[in-house]
Amino acid sequence: VTYEGVDEHISNTKYKKSKIHIKNQKFFLYVGNAYPHKNLDRLLEAFTLLSHPERSEGSPIDIQLVLVGKEDYFYKRLKEEVKKINLDKFIKFLGEVSDEELASLYRNALALVMPSLMEGFGLPVLEAMSNKCLVLASDISALREVCSDAAIYFNPYDVNEISTTLKSAYSNLSNDINHYRGKINKGFERAKMFSWQKMAKETLKFYESCVGL
């Protein structure tokens, strides 16, 4: 197994003030496509529980969900769903963004949310960790392999658990230094273990071993 790495344009970029304006400074971030296995329908359901008190116990929280990804059929369908369930005020679709803007989003987000049912690797979680962004991720093997103990995990099939995980991060991140800040620091250190240079060297070494070099 050879692991992928973090693009230096995202992990080491020195960006200017972001041109992207998020009305509410506190926001959760999702980066990637909107294919069915990404599980965004359940993420929307979980977000509905946070923003609509009549559908859950407790008070609504004033926070946005920002999604980054190239618009296609699945994103268009997701936008239609957002309108149907009246989440327009809480969900922001940015489409494609530059590396500088993406780095800015990671560094200013309350957390990256990765609700996937399956992943081959999960580059966004690695990018997030390298930018000191808290990671809230599905409890699946691929993401655990990348994040280890540097992320907060949830059952991706359980909407209530996803919602509770988001609410807990929103409520406690600024206060619970030992738990959430500890995860962020672990993630930053873990991200240093992954690089494209390391992947290239390990891949070359394997190729050479196959031909007896």
Side-chain angles (χ1 to χ4, degrees):
V1 175
T2 57
Y3 293 106
E4 298 177 26
V6 185
D7 193 319
E8 292 183 357
H9 291 293
I10 295 175
S11 62
N12 297 321
T13 185
K14 293 183 178 180
Y15 60 90
K16 297 180 181 179
K17 186 176 181 180
S18 177
K19 297 178 182 178
I20 299 174
H21 299 289
I22 308 297
K23 290 183 179 180
N24 187 328
Q25 291 186 351
K26 287 187 176 181
F27 64 92
F28 288 115
L29 177 66
Y30 169 80
V31 177
N33 61 56
Y35 295 166
H37 73 277
K38 294 295 186 178
N39 202 31
L40 296 184
D41 288 338
R42 286 192 180 88
L43 179 58
L44 291 186
E45 288 184 53
F47 215 77
T48 300
L49 296 179
L50 295 179
S51 57
H52 291 67
E54 68 276 8
R55 303 183 192 183
S56 65
E57 297 181 0
S59 303
I61 65 175
D62 187 18
I63 192 168
Q64 287 187 315
L65 173 62
V66 175
L67 296 100
V68 173
K70 182 179 181 181
E71 183 167 304
D72 57 9
Y73 165 78
F74 294 102
Y75 257 119
K76 289 178 180 177
R77 189 179 69 172
L78 195 67
K79 287 183 177 180
E80 293 175 359
E81 182 62 25
V82 166
K83 291 180 180 180
K84 287 181 182 179
I85 58 180
N86 299 316
L87 281 181
D88 305 64
K89 296 180 180 179
F90 303 95
I91 310 293
K92 188 177 184 68
F93 294 90
L94 297 184
E96 293 182 278
V97 300
S98 67
D99 289 341
E100 291 76 15
E101 295 289 356
L102 182 56
S104 176
L105 288 167
Y106 280 130
R107 295 173 190 181
N108 288 286
L110 188 64
L112 172 78
V113 185
M114 196 77 166
S116 307
L117 299 177
M118 61 172 288
E119 282 292 341
F121 182 75
L123 273 176
V125 298
L126 192 55
E127 294 173 349
M129 291 191 299
S130 71
N131 281 287
K132 294 187 176 182
C133 177
L134 177 68
V135 174
L136 308 178
S138 295
D139 191 359
I140 58 176
S141 58
L143 297 184
R144 276 197 174 272
E145 192 169 357
V146 176
C147 299
S148 186
D149 62 345
I152 305 291
Y153 296 99
F154 54 79
N155 180 351
Y157 294 95
D158 189 331
V159 172
N160 287 317
E161 186 173 328
I162 298 173
S163 181
T164 298
T165 302
L166 295 177
K167 187 173 183 179
S168 180
Y170 172 85
S171 303
N172 301 317
L173 181 57
S174 59
N175 300 319
D176 191 343
I177 297 177
N178 292 327
H179 185 51
Y180 289 96
R181 295 295 175 185
K183 294 290 185 181
I184 292 173
N185 292 332
K186 284 183 178 180
F188 184 67
E189 292 303 316
R190 182 162 180 78
K192 295 177 182 179
M193 298 170 58
F194 300 82
S195 75
W196 291 113
Q197 291 82 2
K198 182 179 179 181
M199 187 204 77
K201 290 178 180 179
E202 290 179 349
T203 303
L204 178 60
K205 183 178 180 180
F206 177 75
Y207 286 163
E208 290 175 340
S209 71
C210 291
V211 295
L213 295 178

